[in-house]
């Protein structure tokens, strides 16, 4: 294996750490989403039950369905959607057209994979640049309706954040595709 690949492979722990951080963030967002949604649903039913049976279940009126739950749940979902798309880049779980891969020469498939990854990298850069512009201009001027003290910055922020994660994972994917031209399959298996 060429020495440059041995040197560049030392960056793999940084990619692994980025992946773990994004994965933990997605998990925490999912937990928050489930907890907030459960609280909102419980609040709705408790309000209905306390109004239907005030003598027996009137005490349930203390559990409310706050107006902020819907907007926070939607914001958490937007974070999870774009960040999980970034995670899919690293694992190769994105939808791909592979119908002709078995019929094309391996080097052509590798080149096409690089072209596809460069296209996704361009999208990631656009998400970062344009997303940050929207986040700092439009997002910083507005506020959530039900949470007037919270800036809409946080509603737009997942787009540039995912752009950063996608760039990191695309750099690794492109590197691995380029490396595959120089490193034989036997060497990869021996290294694993």
């Amino acid at each position: 294996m060429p020495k440059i690949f041995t040197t560049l492979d030392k960056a793999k722990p940084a990619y692994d750490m980025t992946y773990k951080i994004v994965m933990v963030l997605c998990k925490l967002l999912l937990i928050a989403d489930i907890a907030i949604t459960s609280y909102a649903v419980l609040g709705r039913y408790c309000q209905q039950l306390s109004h239907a049976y005030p003598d027996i279940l009137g005490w349930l009126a203390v559990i409310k369905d706050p107006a902020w739950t819907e907007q926070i749940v939607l914001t958490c979902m937007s974070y999870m959607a774009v960040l999980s798309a970034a995670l899919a880049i690293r694992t190769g779980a994105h939808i791909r057209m592979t119908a002709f891969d078995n019929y094309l020469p391996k080097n052509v498939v590798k080149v096409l994979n690089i072209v596809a990854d460069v296209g996704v990298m361009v999208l990631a850069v656009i998400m970062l640049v344009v997303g940050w512009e929207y986040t700092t201009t439009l997002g910083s001027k507005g506020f959530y309706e039900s949470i007037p003290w919270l800036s809409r910055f946080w509603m737009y922020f997942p787009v540039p954040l995912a752009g950063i994660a996608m760039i990191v994972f695309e750099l690794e994917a492109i590197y691995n595709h380029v490396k595959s031209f120089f490193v034989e399959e036997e060497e990869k298996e021996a290294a694993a």
Side-chain angles (χ1 to χ4, degrees), residues 77-91:
M77 288 175 68
S78 66
Y79 275 88
M80 284 188 300
V82 291
L83 290 175
S84 63
L87 293 174
I89 289 171
R90 179 138 201 258
T91 60

Side-chain angles (χ1 to χ4, degrees), residues 32-186:
D33 228 4
I34 291 169
I36 293 168
T37 302
S38 298
Y39 180 73
V41 169
L42 181 68
R44 275 187 207 140
Y45 284 110
C46 287
Q47 290 296 312
Q48 289 175 357
L49 287 172
S50 68
H51 290 300
Y53 306 102
D55 296 337
I56 304 169
L57 300 174
W59 59 273
L60 287 176
V62 297
I63 302 173
K64 306 276 186 211
D65 174 19
W68 56 265
T69 57
E70 182 179 352
Q71 289 181 323
I72 296 300
V73 165
L74 291 174
T75 300
C76 288
M77 288 175 68
S78 66
Y79 275 88
M80 284 188 300
V82 291
L83 290 175
S84 63
L87 293 174
I89 289 171
R90 179 138 201 258
T91 60
H94 272 292
I95 296 172
R96 299 178 178 261
M97 269 313 258
T98 58
F100 297 112
D101 286 2
N102 293 332
Y103 303 108
L104 296 172
K106 289 189 186 231
N107 284 340
V108 171
V109 173
K110 290 176 185 179
V111 168
L112 291 174
N113 284 337
I114 291 172
V115 169
D117 284 331
V118 167
V120 174
M121 175 76 87
V122 169
L123 171 67
V125 169
I126 291 169
M127 286 175 66
L128 175 61
V129 173
V130 176
W132 184 252
E133 184 181 325
Y134 271 87
T135 301
T136 55
T137 57
L138 185 64
S140 65
K141 291 182 179 137
F143 295 92
Y144 286 91
E145 291 86 20
S146 59
I147 316 167
W149 52 267
L150 186 61
S151 171
R152 281 195 181 252
F153 170 91
W154 299 107
M155 186 173 77
Y156 291 96
F157 186 63
V159 175
L161 182 64
I164 292 169
M166 288 172 72
I167 289 169
V168 169
F169 296 139
E170 276 301 338
L171 285 172
E172 182 186 29
I174 291 170
Y175 166 72
N176 287 333
H177 290 311
V178 171
K179 181 180 170 185
S180 72
F181 282 106
F182 299 98
V183 177
E184 296 298 320
E185 295 296 323
E186 297 83 34

